[in-house]
């Protein structure tokens, strides 16, 4: 089976998992603060990744020259981007979170050109423009209140930093196991976040985790959308260039918007859907290429 096909399949599956993540996080964020939820998610993921490395006998060794890229993946992608996703989702809606961050592929095209020298075709340039206009429509004139607009701008930061993180993934040699890279990147993020969650932790009621929706949500975020989806995304990105591979992100808004409507009963206005259409149109143009 073609590595490009497998790479696309892995990234589409990861994006679909993240689409469900916005609905799950929206439910859990009603009782758990965003940064604490990110920390809990990573602690669970670390346990899973460490067990996988032990049982599959993965190499724990990383060359010193590759450490900056791995640390950058953890800080830019797993601290700044994921933190912004959770804060933005808390201030807006699950649908808005999934839709705005779906503009990530357009940003990946631009960053791929700047940092990796990847070619930008006319089709890719039009794609980036349409996705950007779509994001502006969703954030600025989608009929949302000021809280939702603030959440929307935070989500734009999440999309930008996730695209930048994907560039660092491309700079890590393919000789490394993606389990190892994901493990050290998540460990970096966990260590960076830990000093900032103490106060949120001590004010959290212990009874929270006895609620099945809460502990089930934390397990989903830690095991499925972190340990599993991060591995799938990074593995797929190894086999595709940043500008093309990132376009499989379009599965995220489709799943996130559908689940937001189905489970949370979220409703949005016409300009939201028009902006969403422009984002998906921009993404689809490059997928056809």
């Amino acid at each position: 089976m073609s590595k490009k096909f497998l790479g696309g399949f892995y990234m589409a599956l990861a994006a679909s998992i993240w689409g469900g993540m916005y609905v799950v996080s929206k439910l859990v964020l009603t009782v758990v603060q965003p940064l604490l939820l990110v920390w809990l998610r990573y602690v669970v993921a670390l346990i899973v990744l460490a067990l996988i490395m032990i049982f599959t006998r993965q190499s724990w060794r990383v060359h010193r020259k590759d450490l900056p890229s791995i640390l950058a993946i953890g800080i830019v992608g797993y601290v700044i981007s994921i933190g912004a996703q959770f804060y933005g989702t808390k201030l807006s809606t699950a649908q808005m979170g999934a839709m705005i961050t779906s503009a990530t592929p357009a940003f990946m095209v631009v960053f791929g050109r700047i940092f990796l020298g990847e070619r930008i075709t006319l089709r890719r340039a039009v794609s980036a423009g349409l996705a950007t206009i779509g994001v502006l429509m969703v954030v600025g004139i989608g009929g949302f209140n000021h809280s939702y607009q603030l959440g929307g701008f935070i989500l734009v930061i999440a999309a930008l930093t996730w695209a930048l993180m994907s560039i660092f993934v491309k700079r890590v040699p393919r000789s490394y196991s993606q389990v190892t890279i994901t493990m050290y990147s998540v460990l970096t993020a966990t260590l960076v976040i830990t000093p900032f969650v103490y106060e949120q932790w001590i004010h959290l009621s212990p009874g929270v985790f006895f609620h099945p929706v809460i502990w089930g949500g934390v397990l989903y975020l830690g095991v499925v959308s972190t340990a599993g989806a991060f591995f799938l995304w990074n593995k797929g990105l190894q086999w595709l260039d940043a500008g093309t591979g990132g376009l499989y992100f379009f599965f995220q808004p489709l799943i996130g918007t559908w689940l937001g409507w189905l489970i949370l009963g979220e409703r949005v206005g016409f300009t939201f859907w028009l902006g969403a259409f422009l984002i998906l149109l921009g993404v689809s143009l490059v997928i056809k290429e």
Side-chain angles (χ1 to χ4, degrees), residues 106-117 159-161 163-164 167:
F107 300 137
M108 289 177 69
V109 170
V110 176
F111 289 151
R113 173 59 182 173
I114 295 173
F115 297 106
L116 302 176
L160 281 166
T161 48
L164 183 59
I167 302 302

Side-chain angles (χ1 to χ4, degrees), residues 82-112:
I82 298 300
Q85 282 182 29
F86 278 29
Y87 274 105
T89 302
K90 183 177 178 66
L91 293 173
S92 59
T93 67
Q95 291 175 331
M96 195 172 184
M99 191 54 65
I100 291 176
T101 52
S102 72
T104 295
F107 300 137
M108 289 177 69
V109 170
V110 176
F111 289 151

Side-chain angles (χ1 to χ4, degrees), residues 57-73:
R57 297 182 179 180
Q58 301 282 343
S59 173
W60 296 77
R61 180 174 297 178
V62 174
H63 295 293
R64 184 177 299 176
K65 66 181 178 65
D66 299 318
L67 281 176
S69 294
I70 295 174
L71 293 175
I73 293 170

Side-chain angles (χ1 to χ4, degrees), residues 83-161:
Q85 282 182 29
F86 278 29
Y87 274 105
T89 302
K90 183 177 178 66
L91 293 173
S92 59
T93 67
Q95 291 175 331
M96 195 172 184
M99 191 54 65
I100 291 176
T101 52
S102 72
T104 295
F107 300 137
M108 289 177 69
V109 170
V110 176
F111 289 151
R113 173 59 182 173
I114 295 173
F115 297 106
L116 302 176
E118 295 177 358
R119 189 168 61 97
I120 296 182
T121 63
L122 176 61
R123 189 185 291 267
R124 289 188 181 188
V126 172
S127 167
L130 288 173
T132 302
I133 295 171
V135 168
L136 292 175
M137 293 191 70
V138 171
V139 175
I141 57 174
F144 297 116
N145 59 36
H146 292 299
S147 173
Y148 280 14
Q149 289 183 1
L150 175 59
F153 284 115
I154 294 174
L155 288 165
V156 171
I157 294 173
L160 281 166
T161 48

Side-chain angles (χ1 to χ4, degrees), residues 7-86:
F9 174 75
Y10 287 161
M11 297 183 81
L13 182 56
S16 298
I17 291 170
W18 289 330
M21 176 195 69
Y22 286 94
V23 176
V24 173
S25 62
K26 188 68 179 179
L27 293 171
V28 181
L29 285 168
T30 57
V31 293
V32 181
Q33 292 298 312
L35 196 60
L36 179 57
L37 182 56
V38 173
W39 184 82
L40 289 170
R41 172 186 182 180
Y42 289 163
V43 169
V44 173
L46 278 175
I47 295 172
V48 174
L49 290 167
L51 290 174
I52 291 174
M53 291 190 68
I54 292 170
F55 285 111
T56 60
R57 297 182 179 180
Q58 301 282 343
S59 173
W60 296 77
R61 180 174 297 178
V62 174
H63 295 293
R64 184 177 299 176
K65 66 181 178 65
D66 299 318
L67 281 176
S69 294
I70 295 174
L71 293 175
I73 293 170
I75 295 171
V76 175
Y78 300 166
V79 175
I80 300 175
S81 183
I82 298 300
Q85 282 182 29
F86 278 29

